[in-house]
Every structure is written in C-alpha cells, then in structure tokens.
Amino acid sequence: MLITGASSGIGRALAIDYAAPDQKLILIGRNPERLAEVAAACAEKGADVTEAAIDVRDRKELAEFILGIDRETPIDLVIAGAGITGGIGRDRPFETPEAVRALLATNLVGAINTVEPLLRPMAARRRGRIALIGSVSGLRGMPYSPAYNASKAAIHSYADSIRGTLSRANVGVSLVIAGFVNTPLNAEMDCPKPLAVSAERAARTIRRGLDRGRPVIAFPRLLVFGTRLLPLLPRFLVDRVMTAIAVEIPETADRLPEDGGKGPGSE
C-alpha cells in the first residue's frame, strides 16, 4: 500500500490505522522529520515500512520511486492524499497567482503524478485499487478558496473518468469526498466547519469504504447531501449567502520553483 501526504493529517491517520504485522506500507511526504515519526509509529505496530521524502509535484522522481517499489513488490492500493490548502480573507479578496499555481500543482497534478505510474501495471495484473482524496468543496465552488475548490472538482472528474476504463481491467477507483477534518492543514482556517470530524475518524471511514470497494466514500452524509443541493438553488442566492459569511483562510506558503521556491510542506 502506498500513501502520499503520509506525514500529516488524513494521510498520517490512514498510515497508522492500516499499520499491522502483515502490512507493507510505502509512505511519502515532504517533511522528513514528521514522516520519520509516522513511519516509526507504524513500525511499532508491526508494519513493514518504507518511507521517502518526495515532493509529489516532481513527476520524474515520484514515478521512478513508485515503479521501483512496484517491480519488487506489486502495490495493491494507492491513496493520493498529499494536499495543501489556501484561500482568501477579509483583507485579501483575491488569491495571488503564485499561490493558485502552487496549490493546483500539488492537489491536482501531484495526485495525477501519484496514480499515473500504477495505471498500466495494475491493469496488466488485473487487480488493485486507486483512491483519490476529493472534498465537499469540489461539489460546488465556494468564494473562500477558488483554487482549492477547483483542484478538488478536477479530482472528482478525473476519478470518474478513469473508473470505467479501469473497471474493465478489474482495478477499482474510489473517490473520497471529505467534509471538514480537524487536521493541521485546517487548523488556521477561521471559518464555520460544520460537522467536522477528527483525522482518525475520517481514516476509519475511508478505510471501511475502501475495504468494501465503494466507488465514492462521502462523509459526513448530511453535509454532503446539503452541498449537493446547492447547485439546484438560484446561483445569485447561493453566492449572496456564501459571500456574507466572514471567512479568513491563510494563503498557502507554497510556491512553485519558478515562483520563488517552495514554502513549508503541508503534507
């Protein structure tokens, strides 16, 4: 099993939840210190752990690492969990171009970089499962974090698009539509977080859905249901209500190398 974003948040919780004496875990994250702590916690539970500090935006390095592991021990489950967040605030009505591109590069391109190397090997073996972490924010664009919402909406579409082809090769695709999860990623967000759950509870829900082979794992159900209704309402009304809510979402510190380098990793 391979998990990206394993050094924090949902990825960390999933790694620890899956850790067991009979489990081979490949953990990827950008923060080597936090990643080492997670790897040690998983090893204490008896798991066979391989860790690698790799930026998911580095397609070549990531692909070489994943394919090298897969040739030795075929990967049966990949969870593309690496992600960052960012948005606007009361005195910042627009996102900067640098922040937008860094966020899309991690959340969208980074997720594709993670699963792409395994598409053909899994299809050739006719087994495996791919899990992509989406969000309720991908169901309807919100004014607080345009780039984040766009990245998750694209992940939803990508998961739906590859599911049919891979199903013919007996490879499953699961889209995780997560609501608010209490993680370091969201800790500094000053906004309503209805029905928020802990990372550990989110991990248990995701694992249960993956074990059952569900194509969509959505939680909490009430929030997902309500968000799905928003596109059915008049757009002007939804926009007016949403923009009236006071929200402060810090801008991501991440940057693409050509925009001045990388900020601190969030996954």
Side-chain angles (χ1 to χ4, degrees):
M1 174 192 307
L2 184 149
I3 304 173
T4 64
S7 59
S8 184
I10 294 176
R12 177 186 184 278
L14 280 166
I16 293 174
D17 192 71
Y18 271 106
D22 61 344
Q23 186 64 258
K24 167 70 175 178
L25 293 175
I26 302 104
L27 307 180
I28 296 175
R30 283 187 302 178
N31 187 300
E33 291 79 16
R34 291 204 307 260
L35 186 63
E37 292 175 0
V38 177
C42 293
E44 286 181 5
K45 295 181 67 175
D48 179 3
V49 184
T50 298
E51 61 185 284
I54 301 175
D55 189 330
V56 295
R57 299 177 300 188
D58 191 330
R59 181 179 64 85
K60 183 177 180 181
E61 182 182 6
L62 186 62
E64 289 177 352
F65 174 78
I66 290 174
L67 290 173
I69 293 287
D70 190 65
R71 281 191 291 268
E72 296 179 6
T73 306
I75 297 170
D76 59 354
L77 171 62
V78 54
I79 302 175
I84 59 178
T85 190
I88 66 172
R90 298 170 184 86
D91 299 321
R92 294 179 294 106
F94 304 106
E95 298 174 299
T96 65
E98 295 80 11
V100 168
R101 281 148 184 81
L103 198 149
L104 291 173
T106 299
N107 292 9
L108 175 56
V109 180
I112 295 174
N113 288 346
T114 300
V115 305
E116 199 170 47
L118 293 171
L119 297 180
R120 290 176 177 81
M122 282 185 170
R125 292 191 292 265
R126 297 191 62 80
R127 70 177 186 275
R129 179 162 293 275
I130 292 167
L132 292 144
I133 307 297
S135 168
V136 292
S137 297
L139 298 175
R140 202 281 183 186
M142 304 294 183
Y144 325 122
S145 49
Y148 179 83
N149 294 347
S151 71
K152 293 306 181 180
I155 286 294
H156 292 197
S157 180
Y158 182 75
D160 289 340
S161 298
I162 64 174
R163 184 181 295 113
T165 298
L166 289 173
S167 68
R168 295 200 293 269
N170 200 42
V171 176
V173 174
S174 293
L175 170 64
V176 178
I177 303 178
F180 289 100
V181 180
N182 293 322
T183 68
L185 191 70
N186 295 329
E188 297 182 1
M189 292 170 51
D190 182 8
C191 65
K193 301 173 186 176
L195 304 175
V197 300
S198 67
E200 292 73 22
R201 181 175 176 182
R204 291 193 298 269
T205 301
I206 293 169
R207 181 176 180 177
R208 185 164 58 248
L210 292 175
D211 290 344
R212 295 174 180 175
R214 290 180 176 171
V216 177
I217 303 165
F219 63 93
R221 292 181 180 179
L222 182 59
L223 181 62
V224 172
F225 177 75
T227 307
R228 287 189 184 278
L229 290 180
L230 291 180
L232 303 178
L233 301 175
R235 292 180 183 273
F236 79 91
L237 179 60
V238 176
D239 290 343
R240 183 175 300 174
V241 172
M242 291 296 175
T243 53
I245 300 173
V247 170
E248 187 76 29
I249 300 179
E251 181 178 273
T252 178
D254 269 75
R255 293 292 183 270
L256 296 179
E258 60 269 26
D259 287 332
K262 303 171 185 176
S266 296
E267 72 269 32

